Amino acid sequence: MGCRGGGLAVAAVLVLAGAARAQMTLPDLPKPTGAELFKQQCQTCHTLKPSDPPRQGPLLLGIFGRKPGSVPGFHYSAGFAKADFVWDDSHLDAMLTNPQALIPGAVMPYRQKDPATRQAIIAFLRDQT
Ligand code: HEC
């Protein structure tokens, strides 16, 4: 009895160890944060620091609540002057989905078809004030 019980206990430990190992080798990949996504997907063209040298796109600090095309000194394409809204969640979502559909002639070569990725970036931008 003692012997048989010991064998079962060893077997149980081995099964548990195997399960633990399987979990360790198959981790869930952590989702990138909005900050990381901004860095990967926007930062080559946009900065959040007024002191940075100009890039291909305008400064995005404080974008929420601002009128399109309102960064002083940035030369926007013509469609921006006709855009009659302020940047909010839904307009930023439309911009990141398809800039030219929102602002005809916009020269931003970026499209993001994944809604969760767009939302993570927009939530990050909301905090950059
Ligand atoms: C390859 C360069 C490039 C990338 C990448 C890019 N943009 Fe842009 N973006 C631009 C340019 C250029 C403009 C100005 C477009 C114009 O004048 O037609 C712009 C304009 C904008 C505007 C309008 C700003 C204003 O002042 O009205 C927003 C908002 C914006 N981009 C957000 C983003 C975000 C967020 C990302 C990343 C998910 C991104 N862009 C990625 C180049 C880029």
Side-chain angles (χ1 to χ4, degrees), residues 5 10-11 22 24 27 36 41 45 52 56 77-78 87-88 97 100-101 105-106 113-114 119 122 125 128:
V10 168
M24 273 159 52
E36 286 161 350
Q41 304 191 13
C45 299
D52 281 348
Q56 194 180 331
S77 63
W87 288 118
D88 57 13
T97 305
Q100 292 74 33
K113 58 179 164 41
D114 176 46
Q119 278 310 307
I122 292 166
L125 284 175
Q128 307 306 306

PDB file of all heavy atoms in Angstrom, residues 5 10-11 22 24 27 36 41 45 52 56 77-78 87-88 97 100-101 105-106 113-114 119 122 125 128:
ATOM      1  N   GLY A   5       1.086   3.792  -3.084  1.00  0.00           N
ATOM      2  CA  GLY A   5       0.741   5.214  -2.884  1.00  0.00           C
ATOM      3  C   GLY A   5       1.895   6.102  -3.301  1.00  0.00           C
ATOM      4  O   GLY A   5       1.710   7.110  -3.986  1.00  0.00           O
ATOM      5  N   VAL A  10       4.457   9.998  -6.997  1.00  0.00           N
ATOM      6  CA  VAL A  10       5.524  10.376  -7.940  1.00  0.00           C
ATOM      7  C   VAL A  10       4.925  10.667  -9.316  1.00  0.00           C
ATOM      8  O   VAL A  10       5.243  11.658  -9.966  1.00  0.00           O
ATOM      9  CB  VAL A  10       6.587   9.258  -8.024  1.00  0.00           C
ATOM     10  CG1 VAL A  10       7.522   9.499  -9.196  1.00  0.00           C
ATOM     11  CG2 VAL A  10       7.373   9.182  -6.719  1.00  0.00           C
ATOM     12  N   ALA A  11       3.991   9.792  -9.724  1.00  0.00           N
ATOM     13  CA  ALA A  11       3.366   9.999 -11.035  1.00  0.00           C
ATOM     14  C   ALA A  11       2.643  11.341 -11.064  1.00  0.00           C
ATOM     15  O   ALA A  11       2.737  12.093 -12.040  1.00  0.00           O
ATOM     16  CB  ALA A  11       2.389   8.861 -11.323  1.00  0.00           C
ATOM     17  N   ALA A  22       4.608  22.889 -19.660  1.00  0.00           N
ATOM     18  CA  ALA A  22       3.858  23.231 -20.874  1.00  0.00           C
ATOM     19  C   ALA A  22       3.366  24.675 -20.792  1.00  0.00           C
ATOM     20  O   ALA A  22       3.421  25.415 -21.771  1.00  0.00           O
ATOM     21  CB  ALA A  22       2.679  22.277 -21.031  1.00  0.00           C
ATOM     22  N   MET A  24       4.754  27.070 -19.150  1.00  0.00           N
ATOM     23  CA  MET A  24       5.867  28.008 -19.267  1.00  0.00           C
ATOM     24  C   MET A  24       6.365  28.159 -20.695  1.00  0.00           C
ATOM     25  O   MET A  24       6.832  29.214 -21.078  1.00  0.00           O
ATOM     26  CB  MET A  24       7.020  27.540 -18.384  1.00  0.00           C
ATOM     27  CG  MET A  24       6.877  28.073 -16.961  1.00  0.00           C
ATOM     28  SD  MET A  24       7.797  27.116 -15.767  1.00  0.00           S
ATOM     29  CE  MET A  24       9.397  27.075 -16.496  1.00  0.00           C
ATOM     30  N   PRO A  27       3.572  30.810 -23.300  1.00  0.00           N
ATOM     31  CA  PRO A  27       3.005  31.976 -22.625  1.00  0.00           C
ATOM     32  C   PRO A  27       2.107  32.746 -23.591  1.00  0.00           C
ATOM     33  O   PRO A  27       2.290  32.656 -24.806  1.00  0.00           O
ATOM     34  CB  PRO A  27       4.233  32.816 -22.279  1.00  0.00           C
ATOM     35  CG  PRO A  27       5.237  32.451 -23.314  1.00  0.00           C
ATOM     36  CD  PRO A  27       4.957  31.025 -23.727  1.00  0.00           C
ATOM     37  N   GLU A  36       3.610  51.770 -26.795  1.00  0.00           N
ATOM     38  CA  GLU A  36       4.489  50.991 -27.674  1.00  0.00           C
ATOM     39  C   GLU A  36       4.017  51.053 -29.118  1.00  0.00           C
ATOM     40  O   GLU A  36       4.816  51.179 -30.051  1.00  0.00           O
ATOM     41  CB  GLU A  36       4.536  49.530 -27.193  1.00  0.00           C
ATOM     42  CG  GLU A  36       5.367  49.348 -25.931  1.00  0.00           C
ATOM     43  CD  GLU A  36       5.064  48.043 -25.191  1.00  0.00           C
ATOM     44  OE1 GLU A  36       4.083  47.351 -25.528  1.00  0.00           O
ATOM     45  OE2 GLU A  36       5.821  47.723 -24.265  1.00  0.00           O
ATOM     46  N   GLN A  41       4.388  52.746 -34.711  1.00  0.00           N
ATOM     47  CA  GLN A  41       3.582  53.009 -35.905  1.00  0.00           C
ATOM     48  C   GLN A  41       3.408  54.484 -36.237  1.00  0.00           C
ATOM     49  O   GLN A  41       2.979  54.813 -37.333  1.00  0.00           O
ATOM     50  CB  GLN A  41       2.193  52.359 -35.733  1.00  0.00           C
ATOM     51  CG  GLN A  41       2.336  50.878 -35.454  1.00  0.00           C
ATOM     52  CD  GLN A  41       1.022  50.119 -35.539  1.00  0.00           C
ATOM     53  OE1 GLN A  41       0.022  50.633 -36.037  1.00  0.00           O
ATOM     54  NE2 GLN A  41       1.031  48.886 -35.074  1.00  0.00           N
ATOM     55  N   CYS A  45       6.972  59.577 -37.971  1.00  0.00           N
ATOM     56  CA  CYS A  45       6.439  60.790 -38.605  1.00  0.00           C
ATOM     57  C   CYS A  45       5.896  61.824 -37.616  1.00  0.00           C
ATOM     58  O   CYS A  45       5.702  62.975 -37.991  1.00  0.00           O
ATOM     59  CB  CYS A  45       5.319  60.422 -39.571  1.00  0.00           C
ATOM     60  SG  CYS A  45       5.837  59.330 -40.909  1.00  0.00           S
ATOM     61  N   ASP A  52      11.104  68.757 -30.225  1.00  0.00           N
ATOM     62  CA  ASP A  52      11.710  67.880 -31.238  1.00  0.00           C
ATOM     63  C   ASP A  52      11.755  68.582 -32.592  1.00  0.00           C
ATOM     64  O   ASP A  52      10.873  69.384 -32.895  1.00  0.00           O
ATOM     65  CB  ASP A  52      10.903  66.586 -31.384  1.00  0.00           C
ATOM     66  CG  ASP A  52      11.197  65.590 -30.278  1.00  0.00           C
ATOM     67  OD1 ASP A  52      12.168  65.797 -29.528  1.00  0.00           O
ATOM     68  OD2 ASP A  52      10.435  64.610 -30.157  1.00  0.00           O
ATOM     69  N   GLN A  56       7.863  64.369 -40.680  1.00  0.00           N
ATOM     70  CA  GLN A  56       6.978  64.404 -41.853  1.00  0.00           C
ATOM     71  C   GLN A  56       5.553  64.829 -41.480  1.00  0.00           C
ATOM     72  O   GLN A  56       4.864  65.488 -42.248  1.00  0.00           O
ATOM     73  CB  GLN A  56       6.975  63.011 -42.483  1.00  0.00           C
ATOM     74  CG  GLN A  56       6.380  62.967 -43.874  1.00  0.00           C
ATOM     75  CD  GLN A  56       6.410  61.536 -44.423  1.00  0.00           C
ATOM     76  OE1 GLN A  56       7.274  60.742 -44.067  1.00  0.00           O
ATOM     77  NE2 GLN A  56       5.459  61.214 -45.273  1.00  0.00           N
ATOM     78  N   SER A  77      -1.757  69.647 -46.099  1.00  0.00           N
ATOM     79  CA  SER A  77      -2.376  69.606 -47.417  1.00  0.00           C
ATOM     80  C   SER A  77      -3.722  70.354 -47.360  1.00  0.00           C
ATOM     81  O   SER A  77      -4.288  70.578 -46.281  1.00  0.00           O
ATOM     82  CB  SER A  77      -2.568  68.166 -47.879  1.00  0.00           C
ATOM     83  OG  SER A  77      -3.443  67.479 -47.012  1.00  0.00           O
ATOM     84  N   ALA A  78      -4.238  70.724 -48.548  1.00  0.00           N
ATOM     85  CA  ALA A  78      -5.354  71.676 -48.642  1.00  0.00           C
ATOM     86  C   ALA A  78      -6.625  71.220 -47.925  1.00  0.00           C
ATOM     87  O   ALA A  78      -7.352  72.045 -47.359  1.00  0.00           O
ATOM     88  CB  ALA A  78      -5.651  71.955 -50.113  1.00  0.00           C
ATOM     89  N   TRP A  87     -10.720  67.140 -33.194  1.00  0.00           N
ATOM     90  CA  TRP A  87     -10.269  65.758 -33.018  1.00  0.00           C
ATOM     91  C   TRP A  87     -10.860  65.166 -31.745  1.00  0.00           C
ATOM     92  O   TRP A  87     -10.651  65.695 -30.642  1.00  0.00           O
ATOM     93  CB  TRP A  87      -8.739  65.687 -32.953  1.00  0.00           C
ATOM     94  CG  TRP A  87      -8.075  65.933 -34.267  1.00  0.00           C
ATOM     95  CD1 TRP A  87      -7.211  66.943 -34.585  1.00  0.00           C
ATOM     96  CD2 TRP A  87      -8.214  65.147 -35.460  1.00  0.00           C
ATOM     97  NE1 TRP A  87      -6.798  66.834 -35.897  1.00  0.00           N
ATOM     98  CE2 TRP A  87      -7.407  65.743 -36.451  1.00  0.00           C
ATOM     99  CE3 TRP A  87      -8.944  64.001 -35.797  1.00  0.00           C
ATOM    100  CZ2 TRP A  87      -7.292  65.236 -37.750  1.00  0.00           C
ATOM    101  CZ3 TRP A  87      -8.833  63.496 -37.098  1.00  0.00           C
ATOM    102  CH2 TRP A  87      -8.021  64.106 -38.045  1.00  0.00           C
ATOM    103  N   ASP A  88     -11.616  64.094 -31.918  1.00  0.00           N
ATOM    104  CA  ASP A  88     -12.147  63.340 -30.789  1.00  0.00           C
ATOM    105  C   ASP A  88     -11.974  61.864 -31.123  1.00  0.00           C
ATOM    106  O   ASP A  88     -11.389  61.503 -32.156  1.00  0.00           O
ATOM    107  CB  ASP A  88     -13.620  63.697 -30.532  1.00  0.00           C
ATOM    108  CG  ASP A  88     -14.495  63.468 -31.757  1.00  0.00           C
ATOM    109  OD1 ASP A  88     -14.032  62.811 -32.732  1.00  0.00           O
ATOM    110  OD2 ASP A  88     -15.638  63.934 -31.773  1.00  0.00           O
ATOM    111  N   THR A  97      -8.145  54.738 -39.624  1.00  0.00           N
ATOM    112  CA  THR A  97      -8.692  53.704 -40.514  1.00  0.00           C
ATOM    113  C   THR A  97      -8.358  54.028 -41.965  1.00  0.00           C
ATOM    114  O   THR A  97      -7.924  53.164 -42.728  1.00  0.00           O
ATOM    115  CB  THR A  97     -10.225  53.616 -40.355  1.00  0.00           C
ATOM    116  OG1 THR A  97     -10.524  53.402 -38.982  1.00  0.00           O
ATOM    117  CG2 THR A  97     -10.808  52.481 -41.182  1.00  0.00           C
ATOM    118  N   GLN A 100      -7.564  59.442 -46.014  1.00  0.00           N
ATOM    119  CA  GLN A 100      -8.088  60.130 -47.209  1.00  0.00           C
ATOM    120  C   GLN A 100      -9.614  60.109 -47.260  1.00  0.00           C
ATOM    121  O   GLN A 100     -10.225  60.970 -47.884  1.00  0.00           O
ATOM    122  CB  GLN A 100      -7.505  59.507 -48.486  1.00  0.00           C
ATOM    123  CG  GLN A 100      -6.007  59.754 -48.660  1.00  0.00           C
ATOM    124  CD  GLN A 100      -5.153  58.903 -47.720  1.00  0.00           C
ATOM    125  OE1 GLN A 100      -5.495  57.769 -47.388  1.00  0.00           O
ATOM    126  NE2 GLN A 100      -4.009  59.437 -47.278  1.00  0.00           N
ATOM    127  N   ALA A 101     -10.241  59.115 -46.597  1.00  0.00           N
ATOM    128  CA  ALA A 101     -11.705  59.081 -46.552  1.00  0.00           C
ATOM    129  C   ALA A 101     -12.224  60.182 -45.624  1.00  0.00           C
ATOM    130  O   ALA A 101     -13.315  60.709 -45.824  1.00  0.00           O
ATOM    131  CB  ALA A 101     -12.197  57.719 -46.076  1.00  0.00           C
ATOM    132  N   GLY A 105      -7.361  64.027 -49.872  1.00  0.00           N
ATOM    133  CA  GLY A 105      -6.031  64.493 -50.259  1.00  0.00           C
ATOM    134  C   GLY A 105      -5.006  64.443 -49.135  1.00  0.00           C
ATOM    135  O   GLY A 105      -3.854  64.829 -49.338  1.00  0.00           O
ATOM    136  N   ALA A 106      -5.377  63.966 -47.931  1.00  0.00           N
ATOM    137  CA  ALA A 106      -4.410  63.890 -46.821  1.00  0.00           C
ATOM    138  C   ALA A 106      -3.221  63.031 -47.251  1.00  0.00           C
ATOM    139  O   ALA A 106      -3.396  61.979 -47.858  1.00  0.00           O
ATOM    140  CB  ALA A 106      -5.075  63.311 -45.578  1.00  0.00           C
ATOM    141  N   LYS A 113      -6.297  48.570 -39.935  1.00  0.00           N
ATOM    142  CA  LYS A 113      -7.620  47.968 -40.023  1.00  0.00           C
ATOM    143  C   LYS A 113      -8.063  47.272 -38.742  1.00  0.00           C
ATOM    144  O   LYS A 113      -9.221  46.895 -38.619  1.00  0.00           O
ATOM    145  CB  LYS A 113      -7.735  47.039 -41.225  1.00  0.00           C
ATOM    146  CG  LYS A 113      -6.753  45.898 -41.280  1.00  0.00           C
ATOM    147  CD  LYS A 113      -7.046  45.075 -42.546  1.00  0.00           C
ATOM    148  CE  LYS A 113      -5.965  44.129 -42.989  1.00  0.00           C
ATOM    149  NZ  LYS A 113      -5.273  43.391 -41.985  1.00  0.00           N
ATOM    150  N   ASP A 114      -7.191  47.127 -37.760  1.00  0.00           N
ATOM    151  CA  ASP A 114      -7.574  46.454 -36.522  1.00  0.00           C
ATOM    152  C   ASP A 114      -8.128  47.468 -35.506  1.00  0.00           C
ATOM    153  O   ASP A 114      -7.393  48.327 -35.016  1.00  0.00           O
ATOM    154  CB  ASP A 114      -6.370  45.723 -35.936  1.00  0.00           C
ATOM    155  CG  ASP A 114      -6.719  45.091 -34.598  1.00  0.00           C
ATOM    156  OD1 ASP A 114      -7.785  44.464 -34.508  1.00  0.00           O
ATOM    157  OD2 ASP A 114      -5.942  45.248 -33.635  1.00  0.00           O
ATOM    158  N   GLN A 119      -7.822  51.724 -31.175  1.00  0.00           N
ATOM    159  CA  GLN A 119      -8.313  52.212 -29.880  1.00  0.00           C
ATOM    160  C   GLN A 119      -7.187  52.352 -28.857  1.00  0.00           C
ATOM    161  O   GLN A 119      -7.188  53.285 -28.058  1.00  0.00           O
ATOM    162  CB  GLN A 119      -9.427  51.291 -29.348  1.00  0.00           C
ATOM    163  CG  GLN A 119     -10.790  51.608 -29.956  1.00  0.00           C
ATOM    164  CD  GLN A 119     -11.153  53.084 -29.900  1.00  0.00           C
ATOM    165  OE1 GLN A 119     -11.120  53.702 -28.838  1.00  0.00           O
ATOM    166  NE2 GLN A 119     -11.462  53.684 -31.051  1.00  0.00           N
ATOM    167  N   ILE A 122      -5.364  55.531 -29.701  1.00  0.00           N
ATOM    168  CA  ILE A 122      -6.184  56.715 -29.405  1.00  0.00           C
ATOM    169  C   ILE A 122      -6.260  56.952 -27.896  1.00  0.00           C
ATOM    170  O   ILE A 122      -6.153  58.096 -27.431  1.00  0.00           O
ATOM    171  CB  ILE A 122      -7.594  56.557 -30.040  1.00  0.00           C
ATOM    172  CG1 ILE A 122      -7.468  56.620 -31.572  1.00  0.00           C
ATOM    173  CG2 ILE A 122      -8.560  57.627 -29.532  1.00  0.00           C
ATOM    174  CD1 ILE A 122      -8.701  56.153 -32.323  1.00  0.00           C
ATOM    175  N   LEU A 125      -3.126  58.597 -26.903  1.00  0.00           N
ATOM    176  CA  LEU A 125      -3.074  60.009 -27.325  1.00  0.00           C
ATOM    177  C   LEU A 125      -3.940  60.899 -26.429  1.00  0.00           C
ATOM    178  O   LEU A 125      -3.590  62.053 -26.187  1.00  0.00           O
ATOM    179  CB  LEU A 125      -3.538  60.142 -28.784  1.00  0.00           C
ATOM    180  CG  LEU A 125      -2.525  59.694 -29.843  1.00  0.00           C
ATOM    181  CD1 LEU A 125      -3.156  59.767 -31.229  1.00  0.00           C
ATOM    182  CD2 LEU A 125      -1.250  60.552 -29.783  1.00  0.00           C
ATOM    183  N   GLN A 128      -2.001  62.413 -23.707  1.00  0.00           N
ATOM    184  CA  GLN A 128      -0.836  63.244 -24.052  1.00  0.00           C
ATOM    185  C   GLN A 128      -1.282  64.701 -24.167  1.00  0.00           C
ATOM    186  O   GLN A 128      -1.549  65.193 -25.259  1.00  0.00           O
ATOM    187  CB  GLN A 128      -0.197  62.778 -25.386  1.00  0.00           C
ATOM    188  CG  GLN A 128       0.135  61.294 -25.413  1.00  0.00           C
ATOM    189  CD  GLN A 128       1.000  60.872 -24.255  1.00  0.00           C
ATOM    190  OE1 GLN A 128       2.058  61.435 -24.017  1.00  0.00           O
ATOM    191  NE2 GLN A 128       0.548  59.870 -23.494  1.00  0.00           N
TER     192      GLN A 128
END
